[in-house]
Amino acid sequence: MSDKDNNKPKVVSKEVLVPFILITSLFALWGFANAVTDPMVQAFKKVLELTNSEAAWVQMAFYGGYFCMALPAAIFVRKYSYKSGVLLGLFLYGVGALLFYPAAITEQFWFFCLGLYVLTFGLAFLETTANPYILSMGDPRTATQRLNLAQAFNPVGLIGGLLVAQHFVLKKLKSDDIDNFSALDVLEKTQIRTADLIVIRNPYVILGLVVLFLFILLLAVKMPQVNNEEGKLSLRKTFISLSKNKKYVFGVIAQVFYVGAQIMCWTYIYQYAEAIGISSSDAANYQFIAFILFLVGRAVGTYMLKYISAGKLLMLFALFAIIASLGTIYIEGIIGLYCLVSLSFFMSVMFPTIYGIALDGLDEESSKIGAAGLVMAIVGGALMPKFQGMIIDIAGNGVNDTTIMGVSEVNFSFVLPLICFLVICFYGKRFISNN
């Protein structure tokens, strides 16, 4: 073996292997919550007789919680410890999920949204803590590769969440078997609505109990701290320093567009499938394939980072995502759906790669606050699906009521993810020499 190979830094050293595994396991938790929630937009739309735009409040609540809590989470972790951040995150996650129980009793849509909002307070703490912690666990030269490796567990949670949504929610919804639910009499609708909201409630309640069990378990686990020394820069100076860092500022902007694209592609796959006559339960099969591609893409991308820079990898995957987006928009029918599904492969490396590029070169304390900005960028997943729902609702509550520029409204709505990938491609090209 050559001296060059001997001197090459390891992605994860033996000294931090155990904490790396423990923190990496958290990545599956927010993946699970994400995957369970995406199909709920379609479920609530039918059960509670909402428009596409109204149902998008599910994503507004889910990703809006990230935006509101990310900075307080970063300040909390900065003042106390990574472990404290993880524990508070798990507690809020569990409480938010358990709020689905009273929400189902009251049958109020706002109550479900409140539960999701509190749940994502917990996710904001977990993501704000876990991502910079993973970056700090080793040589800075392998930081982006290490984060991609840890993020590979995120799609494992996505797949698990989707399987639960498909088999324990979508297939059990009585309203999904009725073509014209709104035409039923009041008594029938009330009975079906009550039964379906209980079906929606159960996975979240079970999830909440599991998360609170993990909270109790982690209370007994000793986690190491990383450079949590005194003499930190003031928050004001840290913010000023970050605001002058173009790579970081543009990274936050790119992350807003990435998360927006991801959530639009995963949320409206059900509406896209509906437009070509595919039921929600069958559409979940296509989303399952998308998540498998997402997992494979993470593995491929992590391997490719051995040979090309993070910026170049990001640019290449964004270019292919642009091509697939055009196919989603302009190719009608099942082939267009295949293009939409394929986007998950190309999106797979974007979040951790943007994250790694944006925080590259920052010290420990700046990374903690910088991580908050990148988690707040998840607000893109709250805003953009709402705009896409408004496009789909242009001519009515259906998904194929009219055409725009020669394609159906649901197809045309994917021009929003297309714009997002163009922005991400530019960011990758701008910092192509990174790493």
Side-chain angles (χ1 to χ4, degrees), residues 28 35 51 67 93 106 119 122 124 137 160 172 224 233 337 341 359 377 389 408:
T51 66
F67 179 79
Y93 187 163
T106 62
L119 185 154
M137 288 184 179
K172 293 188 176 183
L233 284 175
L337 182 57
V341 169
L359 296 186
S408 70

Side-chain angles (χ1 to χ4, degrees), residues 187-248:
L187 180 60
E188 284 182 297
K189 282 199 290 189
T190 300
Q191 291 174 336
I192 292 174
R193 180 180 296 113
T194 299
D196 281 0
L197 290 178
I198 290 174
V199 169
I200 292 171
R201 174 201 73 188
N202 290 341
Y204 285 93
V205 172
I206 294 171
L207 176 61
L209 295 174
V210 169
V211 169
L212 291 179
F213 172 77
L214 288 175
F215 168 83
I216 295 170
L217 188 64
L218 281 174
L219 276 174
V221 176
K222 186 176 181 180
M223 295 294 294
Q225 291 302 303
V226 180
N227 299 330
N228 196 26
E229 72 280 350
E230 295 298 324
K232 304 169 182 174
L233 284 175
S234 69
L235 281 175
R236 180 175 176 275
K237 289 181 179 179
T238 301
F239 284 130
I240 292 173
S241 175
L242 288 172
S243 68
K244 294 179 179 179
N245 187 325
K246 291 183 179 180
K247 185 163 60 176
Y248 173 75

Side-chain angles (χ1 to χ4, degrees), residues 31-54:
F32 187 95
N34 190 308
V36 167
T37 302
D38 285 342
M40 296 307 160
V41 175
Q42 184 76 345
F44 279 122
K45 175 190 171 185
K46 195 156 191 178
V47 174
L48 297 177
E49 300 179 84
L50 307 173
T51 66
N52 290 295
S53 180
E54 288 171 340

Side-chain angles (χ1 to χ4, degrees), residues 26 29-31 33 61-77 82 84-94 116-132 351 355 368-379:
L26 299 176
L29 282 178
W30 60 77
F62 191 90
Y63 294 99
Y66 276 105
F67 179 79
C68 294
M69 191 52 64
L71 185 56
I75 294 172
F76 179 89
V77 172
Y82 282 118
S84 297
V86 168
L87 289 174
L88 184 53
L90 289 171
F91 178 76
L92 291 170
Y93 187 163
L116 289 171
Y117 192 57
V118 174
L119 185 154
T120 50
F121 282 179
L123 296 185
F125 266 90
L126 295 180
E127 292 211 40
T128 303
T129 302
N131 285 296
F351 185 92
Y355 205 106
K368 288 179 180 178
I369 300 301
L374 289 162
V375 173
M376 289 175 72
I378 292 175
V379 74

Side-chain angles (χ1 to χ4, degrees), residues 233-273:
L233 284 175
S234 69
L235 281 175
R236 180 175 176 275
K237 289 181 179 179
T238 301
F239 284 130
I240 292 173
S241 175
L242 288 172
S243 68
K244 294 179 179 179
N245 187 325
K246 291 183 179 180
K247 185 163 60 176
Y248 173 75
V249 172
F250 292 159
V252 172
I253 295 170
Q255 204 72 290
V256 170
F257 281 94
Y258 164 68
V259 178
Q262 175 190 290
I263 303 310
M264 286 187 287
C265 291
W266 288 353
T267 298
Y268 291 106
I269 192 172
Y270 292 89
Q271 282 80 352
Y272 197 97

Side-chain angles (χ1 to χ4, degrees), residues 134-149:
I134 290 295
L135 287 173
S136 70
M137 288 184 179
D139 194 291
R141 289 173 290 175
T142 58
T144 301
Q145 190 177 356
R146 186 163 47 254
L147 185 57
N148 269 278
L149 176 61

